Amino acid sequence: MKIVIFGTGLIGSQVASKLRESGHDVAALGRGDGIDTTTGKGVAEAVEGADVVVDLTNSPSWEDHDVMAFFRESTNHMLVAEEAAGVGHHVILSIVGADRLPDSGYMRAKVAQEDLVKSGPVPYSIVRSTQFFEFIAGIADAGAVGDTVHATPAQLQPIASHDVVTRVAEVAVGAPLGGTVEIAGPEPLGIDELVRRLFASTGDQRTVTTDPDAGYFGAKLDDAAITPTPGANAWIAPTTLDEWLREHLKR
């Protein structure tokens, strides 16, 4: 297959490598390649002759207006170009529970992206993932006040990025789902516990305070907010936090 990936970050670069190893013709493209999905620059040329497009872009700004504009404009430009080029499968990576956190501007923008894909002209698959292990440090920093990190005990079911890559690659080369699949790590864990275990492994000396009001990027969580949806038959990845931490510390 000829597969075009928009986005060359943590997930995009790994998905590109995995698909190339499987023998596919893959182009992973970003701004450095002259692509601007928000204006449509280079998009039509990039998708010409493609069988599959995988959208792994992300907004450079998380301000509510900016992130909404990014996902709406980028998605519209991609879908228009893909329809014209006869692309048969559009894949996006979204977030488990995005529709359950309307207080978060980022989550509202991801839901808007999903809705555009669902109503668009190109057969599609939506992969909704829980948070990545790689982003626990960022979650901790978002709750930091001096040398103290405020973290909610509400649960995530975090996942290793390489497990996300495995499932996204599988979906990309399969038939369009015309729907959504959820993926998650094997363990539901409170965010406070996640941060404490990360700090214990890395030697971070900051104090972690359990704070139910700490929230999560502008939204207050409960245990069901961003864990797999009951009855959704989520794909459960194999890598545990302890396994990931051991591998992380080797690098």
Side-chain angles (χ1 to χ4, degrees):
M1 289 184 177
K2 180 177 179 181
I3 301 172
V4 173
I5 299 171
F6 289 114
T8 57
L10 175 67
I11 302 299
S13 58
Q14 292 183 77
V15 171
S17 295
K18 193 168 194 68
L19 290 171
R20 288 190 186 109
E21 290 169 2
S22 298
H24 298 284
D25 177 7
V26 181
L29 304 170
R31 288 184 178 271
D33 303 291
I35 303 294
D36 186 344
T37 57
T38 59
T39 65
K41 179 185 176 184
V43 173
E45 295 83 358
V47 303
E48 190 65 37
D51 300 296
V52 182
V53 171
V54 184
D55 177 10
L56 298 172
T57 60
N58 204 357
S59 175
S61 167
W62 280 29
E63 292 296 325
D64 287 2
H65 176 271
D66 294 342
V67 73
M68 182 64 78
F70 176 88
F71 283 116
R72 281 180 170 165
E73 292 166 6
S74 293
T75 301
N76 278 322
H77 285 127
M78 288 183 212
L79 293 176
V80 167
E82 290 169 37
E83 183 183 26
V87 173
H89 192 183
H90 182 85
V91 181
I92 67 167
L93 180 62
S94 191
I95 303 169
V96 165
D99 52 336
R100 298 193 288 264
L101 293 177
D103 290 342
S104 166
Y106 189 88
M107 296 298 191
R108 291 196 301 271
K110 291 300 288 185
V111 171
Q113 179 193 27
E114 292 182 9
D115 288 344
L116 287 168
V117 170
K118 291 174 184 176
S119 64
V122 182
Y124 70 91
S125 299
I126 297 170
V127 180
R128 275 189 165 192
S129 175
T130 55
Q131 187 59 271
F132 310 156
F133 290 138
E134 284 83 353
F135 293 161
I136 298 170
I139 295 171
D141 290 343
V145 180
D147 291 330
T148 300
V149 172
H150 294 258
T152 175
Q155 291 183 339
L156 300 180
Q157 198 162 325
I159 186 170
S161 69
H162 62 258
D163 288 334
V164 176
V165 167
T166 295
R167 192 67 181 120
V168 169
E170 290 173 350
V171 169
V173 299
L177 299 173
T180 302
V181 61
E182 293 189 357
I183 64 176
E187 305 167 288
L189 298 165
I191 292 178
D192 54 347
E193 181 182 355
L194 283 166
V195 175
R196 288 190 179 97
R197 287 168 67 175
L198 175 68
F199 285 4
S201 295
T202 62
D204 194 313
Q205 296 300 305
R206 286 178 291 178
T207 300
V208 181
T209 296
T210 299
D211 181 355
D213 295 322
Y216 176 80
F217 296 113
K220 189 170 181 178
L221 298 184
D222 58 33
D223 286 345
I226 48 178
T227 51
T229 305
N233 295 318
W235 180 80
I236 303 301
T239 307
T240 66
L241 175 61
D242 286 343
E243 290 168 341
W244 181 83
L245 285 169
R246 286 194 293 271
E247 181 61 30
H248 179 75
L249 290 174
K250 292 178 185 177
R251 299 173 185 172

